[in-house]
Amino acid sequence: MKRAIFASFLGLVASFDSSAYAEPMLGSRSELVEYVQAYAKCTVRYDHKRAQELVLSNATDDQIEHEFRDIYVSEPLAFVSGCRELVIRSGIAFRLQPGLYRSALSEELVAAELKNAPITDMSGRAPLQHWLPENQASYDQRLASASGGGKRARIEAKHNAESAKIWLAVYGECVVRKNPSGAWDWVVSKAGSREESAAISRLNPSFGDCLTSGKTLNFAKEVLRGSIAINYYRLAKAPTAAANGVGS
């Protein structure tokens, strides 16, 4: 029944032309994060299984739009029927950002399934699969064949952004493995709270240990928190290395 209700309200959203009276949101980043988190809360409540599948999958941001269109909407949202947590400011609309949505779903899933106590040891969990970087030869060829500096600049910008996402995913797994209790503390804490600040402080040694030579952390706090949430949930659900055939 819940699945049918969620599918119904997504159908209403997808067919509703919010641009008729509202422009895509130009508000603050914190407001966008608040809306996405509220939408994720409703997703987990109405379609827990699909929320799990999205977070545990290795789908790229582009693939999410095609493979999870039953819970992900690409159109600007000005009103979502049935999601009482999501109250959008009058006269605006917002777009779900796939990466931010994945992070918010992870936090909600941890709160729903793993809120009682942290897993204190993740060392035996099988390695996670992360996105693979583009082949260097393919990237060089695309740059060489690009007509005009503007197109080359766009190719470079997208390539660098994708590389940063891959690096952050791997980095997040490293931090969670080194200090799963601290990672759990951060994920279940309220953003901006003293508990969050304390959790970040406890994770500082792991942040340093997981940095590769020459790398510095320059991601927004909520982006790093999202990576920790995604990796914590994926590792919590991962098989042990022995069960996965690793090292045998």
Side-chain angles (χ1 to χ4, degrees):
M1 183 62 179
K2 285 185 177 181
R3 178 73 164 80
I5 293 172
F6 191 71
S8 175
F9 104 70
L10 271 185
L12 289 172
V13 170
S15 63
F16 186 74
D17 184 14
S18 61
S19 63
Y21 74 94
E23 293 296 323
M25 192 177 77
L26 299 176
S28 67
R29 172 77 176 181
S30 61
E31 187 176 17
L32 172 62
V33 170
E34 178 183 339
Y35 291 154
V36 174
Q37 288 175 333
Y39 186 92
K41 186 180 290 292
C42 288
T43 307
V44 171
R45 181 171 68 243
Y46 286 119
D47 205 337
H48 194 110
K49 183 174 184 294
R50 286 294 280 163
Q52 284 181 318
E53 290 171 354
L54 190 155
V55 173
L56 296 177
S57 75
N58 204 39
T60 64
D61 289 354
D62 290 339
Q63 289 171 328
I64 285 177
E65 182 171 353
H66 300 288
E67 296 179 14
F68 293 93
R69 61 180 59 189
D70 54 330
I71 60 172
Y72 174 81
V73 179
S74 59
E75 291 84 359
L77 302 177
F79 174 76
V80 179
S81 175
C83 183
R84 61 179 178 269
E85 291 86 359
L86 181 56
V87 181
I88 304 170
R89 184 158 48 91
S90 177
I92 66 161
F94 79 100
R95 288 185 185 273
L96 282 174
Q97 295 181 2
L100 187 57
Y101 181 47
R102 192 197 312 259
S103 299
L105 286 176
S106 301
E107 290 196 28
E108 290 300 324
L109 288 168
V110 170
E113 301 176 30
L114 307 167
K115 64 181 179 180
N116 292 329
I119 299 171
T120 58
D121 185 5
M122 296 282 199
S123 60
R125 305 298 170 114
L128 298 178
Q129 181 184 5
H130 297 293
W131 309 300
L132 295 176
E134 181 181 11
N135 179 277
Q136 186 64 40
S138 171
Y139 173 59
D140 292 340
Q141 184 178 12
R142 288 197 303 119
L143 277 180
S145 62
S147 56
K151 187 173 183 179
R152 282 193 293 273
R154 288 192 293 272
I155 291 173
E156 287 178 341
K158 185 173 182 180
H159 176 80
N160 291 339
E162 292 301 317
S163 297
K165 287 179 184 177
I166 295 169
W167 183 88
L168 183 60
V170 175
Y171 179 77
E173 179 180 357
C174 176
V175 172
V176 173
R177 284 186 183 276
K178 283 187 175 294
N179 190 346
S181 295
W184 182 86
D185 286 341
W186 192 7
V187 174
V188 300
S189 68
K190 182 179 179 180
S193 66
R194 285 183 292 181
E195 289 77 14
E196 181 186 46
S197 297
I200 292 172
S201 295
R202 288 194 290 275
L203 284 171
N204 274 333
S206 299
F207 291 151
D209 290 344
C210 289
L211 278 177
T212 52
S213 178
K215 291 285 187 180
T216 57
L217 277 178
N218 57 0
F219 295 93
K221 183 173 70 174
E222 74 266 13
V223 174
L224 181 56
R225 175 178 170 131
S227 179
I228 299 302
I230 292 166
N231 279 283
Y232 185 90
Y233 187 76
R234 292 187 70 195
L235 282 170
K237 297 297 181 177
T240 63
N244 205 43
V246 177
S248 59

